[in-house]
Amino acid sequence: MPDKKVIAVVGATGAQGGGLVRAILSQPSSGFAARAITRDVNSEKAKELAKLGAEVVAADVDDMESLKRAFHGAHGAYCVTFFWAHFSPEKEIAEATAMAQATKHAGLKHVIWSTLEDTRKWVPLSDNRMPTLMGQYKVPHFDAKGEADQVFRDLKLPVTFLLTSFYWDNFIYFGMGPKKGPDGKLALTLPMGDKKLPGIAAEDIGKCAFGIFKRDGEFIGKTVGIAGEHLTGTEMAAALSRALGQQVRYNDVPPDVYRGFGFPGAEDLGNMFQFKRDFERYFCGARSLEFSRSVNPSLQTFDQWLAQNKSGIPLES
Ligand SMILES: NC(=O)c1ccc[n+]([C@@H]2O[C@H](COP(=O)([O-])OP(=O)(O)OC[C@H]3O[C@@H](n4cnc5c(N)ncnc54)[C@H](OP(=O)(O)O)[C@@H]3O)[C@@H](O)[C@H]2O)c1
């Protein structure tokens, strides 16, 4: 396929990158080809992507030479970092920096950087509405990504900054789904008050990214945001009730309570939800449903995602 534009996809065996690889492979006549980057070309997930038709190559974002090889000869790259693998904002910035430098070295024509807001622009460290975490962050896994935007800018890369949204898949894989309370009834616990949370089917992030690559240079140098729907906790609980056939109550808790839940990352996520709650108008406005649908016409609503995925939601106590 020498005449096809190769998109090198970091995190290809994961949620965002996997969606992009599958989106590219689902349109063989699009003129694009997928290069899946993984640390282990022999894993089941990597082999699955190869079977679907992806070129699978080995690289580790901690190994610059391997990244350079993985990006070599490609048209574009999808860059994503792995905060939850190590919980370190500094390491996340280092990952982003390595990817940016490697894309520069390869002379790529279009880079999509999967980023999020540096919340400190809205909530400076001196603002005590939420605690400062790890010494210099408000929402570490947001702030690190937002801070890394500058690395892509400084290198003058042909980059699209892609603001992603909360995956509804977190209700399956991230322990955020409805839980049974002592009364045996299901409740969805989020500190969002009556504000809307932009959410998306994780698979749709890759489809949107592919739509952006297909629009050629139109979004280079721009920040674009994507979401499948903007829904309140009450609306999500109602949709979950309909899908699961049993009542799910929205349990609105203060961010302070959420921060105190004690699971790894609870403080980071408590601050994240508070940011989304307190800056709802900005945060939803930055994630236009119309734009998302324009680059991905099959964008799923929460109801559609639930119809496909409800059986995967664990309903333990
Ligand atoms: N959960 C959400 O709602 C949400 C929303 C917006 C943004 N995010 C952000 O999404 C990011 C994670 O993306 P994701 O959900 O697509 O990830 P994921 O599903 O956890 O998969 C990440 C993939 O990256 C690869 N990987 C991990 N460390 C690597 C390394 N050192 N070098 C090369 N590849 C590596 C792994 O592949 P191999 O094992 O095959 O190498 C893994 O399959 C996080 O930074 C998170 O903050 C999450």
Side-chain angles (χ1 to χ4, degrees), residues 2-317:
D3 50 346
K4 288 200 175 183
K5 293 177 176 173
V6 172
I7 304 296
V9 182
V10 177
T13 57
Q16 297 189 27
L20 174 56
V21 170
R22 285 183 287 276
I24 296 170
L25 297 176
S26 72
Q27 292 183 25
S29 56
S30 65
F32 287 86
R35 182 181 294 168
I37 298 174
T38 172
R39 290 166 301 176
D40 179 6
V41 297
N42 293 313
S43 73
E44 283 312 309
K45 284 181 173 177
K47 283 197 238 165
E48 230 169 81
L49 294 175
K51 217 186 285 170
L52 287 174
E55 176 194 0
V56 178
V57 305
D60 189 316
V61 292
D62 299 329
D63 173 354
M64 175 62 91
E65 292 310 312
S66 72
L67 267 185
K68 285 180 182 168
R69 280 194 300 276
F71 289 153
H72 180 75
H75 165 83
Y78 187 79
C79 297
V80 57
T81 44
F82 315 107
F83 182 85
W84 301 108
H86 46 68
F87 292 81
S88 163
E90 287 80 18
K91 187 160 168 49
E92 189 163 35
I93 293 168
E95 291 172 348
T97 303
M99 285 188 281
Q101 290 171 342
T103 62
K104 180 81 181 176
H105 183 268
L108 303 191
K109 301 280 186 303
H110 191 177
V111 176
I112 295 182
W113 160 228
S114 175
T115 188
L116 289 165
E117 286 83 354
D118 184 340
T119 65
R120 296 166 296 185
K121 291 182 185 157
W122 287 262
V123 189
L125 295 185
S126 57
D127 186 332
N128 290 325
R129 86 180 73 188
M130 59 179 76
T132 293
L133 303 177
M134 301 179 179
Q136 49 178 333
Y137 303 97
K138 286 299 187 184
V139 184
H141 79 284
F142 269 54
D143 299 349
K145 292 181 182 69
E147 187 174 321
D149 288 0
Q150 194 56 40
V151 177
F152 289 83
R153 285 200 188 93
D154 288 347
L155 288 171
K156 302 199 179 354
L157 290 165
V159 61
T160 302
F161 300 93
L162 180 66
L163 296 170
T164 58
S165 286
F166 176 89
Y167 313 166
W168 293 319
D169 307 67
N170 292 334
F171 294 147
I172 300 177
Y173 303 110
F174 217 66
M176 287 188 174
K179 303 255 181 325
K180 276 190 184 143
D183 60 357
K185 295 203 174 125
L186 288 169
L188 177 68
T189 299
L190 288 173
M192 285 297 296
D194 61 355
K195 304 301 187 209
K196 288 179 185 292
L197 175 68
I200 193 163
E203 192 72 8
D204 274 331
I205 296 177
K207 289 185 180 178
C208 290
F210 185 36
I212 291 167
F213 278 122
K214 283 195 294 184
R215 298 267 283 265
D216 219 2
E218 192 177 341
F219 303 111
I220 287 178
K222 301 208 165 108
T223 297
V224 296
I226 51 171
E229 273 192 285
H230 304 153
L231 297 170
T232 62
T234 303
E235 288 168 336
M236 283 189 279
L240 283 159
S241 303
R242 286 193 299 274
L244 299 172
Q246 54 181 309
Q247 204 205 337
V248 178
R249 183 173 60 83
Y250 170 43
N251 180 30
D252 174 28
V253 294
D256 248 341
V257 169
Y258 198 95
R259 281 188 278 270
F261 280 158
F263 62 83
E267 287 183 302
D268 186 329
L269 292 173
N271 282 8
M272 174 193 80
F273 284 121
Q274 186 177 349
F275 174 70
K276 294 178 182 185
R277 183 196 73 175
D278 292 356
F279 298 91
E280 179 203 31
R281 187 193 285 243
Y282 156 75
F283 198 78
C284 288
R287 287 158 173 78
S288 155
L289 306 184
E290 291 68 34
F291 169 76
S292 309
R293 202 165 290 284
S294 76
V295 290
N296 171 17
S298 65
L299 187 74
Q300 294 175 68
T301 62
F302 188 41
D303 282 334
Q304 287 170 325
W305 179 86
L306 279 169
Q308 296 295 322
N309 293 282
K310 62 185 175 188
S311 61
I313 300 175
L315 300 176
E316 78 276 18
S317 319

